[in-house]
Amino acid sequence: MNGGRIERVLIVGGGTAGWMTAAALSHAFRGQPLQVRVIESAAIGTVGVGEATVPHIRHFNAKLGFDEADFITRTKATFKLGIEFRDWGRLGDSYIHPFGAFGQEIGGVPFHQHWLRARAAGYAPPLEDFSLPVVAARRDRFDHPSPDPADVRSTFSYAYQFDAGLYAAYLRAYAEERGVVRTEGRIVEVAQRPEDGFVAAVVLESGERLEADLFVDCSGFRGVLIEGALRAGYEDWTRWLPCDRAVALPCAIAGPLTPYTQATAREAGWLWRIPLQHRVGNGHVYCSAFTSDDEAERALVDQLESSPLAAPNRLRFTTGRRRKQWDRNVVAIGLSAGFLEPLESTSIHLIQLAIGRLLDFFPDGSWDPLDAAEYDRLMQLEYERVRDFLILHYHATERADTPFWDHCRTMTPPDSLRYKMELFRERGAVVNYRDGMFLEPSWLAVYLGQNILPRRHDPLSGKMPDPVLRDALGTLADRYRQAAEAMPRHAAVLQRYAAATR
Ligand SMILES: Cc1cc2nc3c(=O)[nH]c(=O)nc-3n(C[C@H](O)[C@H](O)[C@H](O)COP(=O)(O)OP(=O)(O)OC[C@H]3O[C@@H](n4cnc5c(N)ncnc54)[C@H](O)[C@@H]3O)c2cc1C
């Protein structure tokens, strides 16, 4: 540290979190004398999963100046318009949580209120007919959104499904080009200052000692610094998000190249399917109190669309968050900060948010405790909001066919979620956040997709006579269908990208 400036940042871990942080710091501090080093251990490896994202990742990539075609080609990415949930509310159900709006406001009243009124009168087409990303996804079509707000193709966004290992390599190349230094080795000791417990240095197995001013703990579930050294503590959310294990198994592509991720509910958890350009990522997230590892693996293997391309990767986790995500001179980012299970592909987004907040509150040598306190407050809030949204998927079910679903259906949700669910059930109102990642269309998709139907609709939606509303809905649904059918096939868009970068 020199004159109160942070000069050396040491990032522990070279998974998605470590390399995203390194790339972002190398970009944000370009031209300034900040040394950034990443320590990673090939012997320990990375978690090896994390392939589906949410649209915000595009802002991260754009900020770093990534060219989309190059990124898509090098990470074997596909486009993602949302997630299809199968068998969640009831066996046989299917709905898509899209990255986009449902319909459009009419007379200052939210679209879904008009739809609820039409539904009560018996003439509403299915809600998903009013979401362009859903209509396109159901046809395996994709196109980029239009920047023109008058164009119906401006009503959606998109994310990516990519090979996480290739994304980390892509970020690493970017960061190293900008001066980030990588050190291979396993940390065996963490040295703390006796006076205040700040981390002073880490010691590698080789005996090498590496000092820094700021440490970013991206060491995954281990939390080598934040927990191993600082004992920041962990808040366990298993009572609401009971899945605690997963098995992942990629296979060759034999099914459709869907522009969406699939999450199919099973007896004691759920299965994911994430199609990439070169393979399909599959996994089973499950609760060990209700099924065994072998049964879970068999359930996954039995439904693979082709033969596996690797050995099964078994993982264990505890859903929850670190009690302090910034403690003294250690900021935990990634799995070391918490894990809320992969149902809505939120982990990489939480990494991105953490990096943004770290840059907002980047410390100087005075280590003002307010920086850490505000960072922590904002990050804890994000984790809670994602948590509530995830719990909704498990709790809002009518399934009673297995002990696991009985448990989920009858659990007591957090008060914050109970209030939101009651408000929607009563009058179709969605509680919106100023901060927090899931907005009205996301909540609507899951509430209605999982059969929570409001008892009443907004009386203001009654201004439009029934025949006029019926016609308006029909016209709107036609517009979405026509726009979706005019889009190219998802596979064709990817082929075009591959040809352009060849
Ligand atoms: C089953 C499952 C499915 C998931 N699916 C998704 C998804 O679809 N979308 C999504 O956004 N997220 C998903 N995630 C989360 C996502 O995988 C992680 O958020 C992401 O990979 C970041 O992990 P990480 O970098 O924090 O940790 P890791 O990938 O575990 O990396 C930890 C790093 O720390 C290093 N390290 C650890 N200990 C030491 C030590 N002592 N010395 C030196 N180095 C050390 C390791 O070598 C490694 O480089 C999923 C997670 C799980 C468990």
Side-chain angles (χ1 to χ4, degrees), residues 13-14 16-17 41 44-47 49-50 52 185 187 219 222 335 339 342 347-348:
T16 309
S41 159
I44 294 174
T46 63
V47 70
V49 280
I187 294 169
S219 65
R222 286 175 177 78
L335 297 172
F339 184 53
S347 287
I348 294 174

Side-chain angles (χ1 to χ4, degrees), residues 13-18 39-41 44-47 49-52 185-187 218-222 224 246 272 274 315 317 333-335 339 342 345-348 351:
T16 309
I39 300 178
E40 64 178 323
S41 159
I44 294 174
T46 63
V47 70
V49 280
E51 299 176 328
R186 193 161 73 89
I187 294 169
C218 297
S219 65
F221 290 129
R222 286 175 177 78
V224 171
W272 79 73
I274 304 176
L315 299 143
F317 53 85
I333 296 184
L335 297 172
F339 184 53
S345 329
T346 45
S347 287
I348 294 174
I351 293 171

Side-chain angles (χ1 to χ4, degrees), residues 58-256:
R58 286 168 40 220
H59 304 300
F60 184 83
N61 285 355
K63 198 146 197 181
L64 299 190
F66 292 174
D67 171 69
E68 186 175 62
D70 184 54
F71 157 80
I72 294 262
T73 307
R74 286 174 53 188
T75 62
K76 304 278 186 211
T78 56
F79 293 100
K80 176 180 172 190
L81 291 169
I83 305 177
E84 182 193 16
F85 291 91
R86 293 182 176 185
D87 298 335
W88 282 80
R90 298 174 194 141
L91 279 168
D93 278 0
S94 159
Y95 71 92
I96 291 184
H97 165 201
F99 300 138
F102 287 99
Q104 60 196 35
E105 215 177 73
I106 307 174
V109 178
F111 174 80
H112 72 276
Q113 295 288 355
H114 295 283
W115 181 83
L116 287 170
R117 189 190 125 206
R119 190 184 178 282
Y123 61 79
L127 183 72
E128 68 172 46
D129 290 4
F130 300 97
S131 164
L132 182 53
V134 179
V135 182
R138 292 281 188 207
R139 289 164 171 74
D140 290 341
R141 308 240 169 199
F142 177 79
D143 208 350
H144 286 81
S146 162
D148 174 5
D151 188 331
V152 68
R153 288 171 307 157
S154 67
T155 58
F156 70 99
S157 185
Y158 69 93
Y160 307 111
Q161 305 167 126
F162 55 55
D163 182 321
L166 294 177
Y167 187 52
Y170 194 70
L171 292 162
R172 176 180 159 189
Y174 176 97
E176 286 184 326
E177 251 172 52
R178 284 156 185 78
V180 172
V181 174
R182 174 186 176 275
T183 301
E184 165 65 36
R186 193 161 73 89
I187 294 169
V188 290
E189 195 190 321
V190 180
Q192 289 172 258
R193 295 196 312 221
E195 65 275 22
D196 54 13
F198 274 48
V199 172
V202 294
V203 182
L204 303 184
E205 215 166 18
S206 62
E208 190 180 358
R209 180 187 158 94
L210 294 162
E211 295 182 354
D213 307 315
L214 171 67
F215 291 80
V216 187
D217 188 343
C218 297
S219 65
F221 290 129
R222 286 175 177 78
V224 171
L225 306 181
I226 196 78
E227 195 57 48
L230 300 189
R231 306 261 169 243
Y234 196 76
E235 196 175 335
D236 184 335
W237 285 340
T238 311
R239 66 189 176 286
W240 294 310
L241 293 171
C243 289
D244 57 353
R245 295 198 188 172
V247 51
L249 190 55
C251 72
I253 303 169

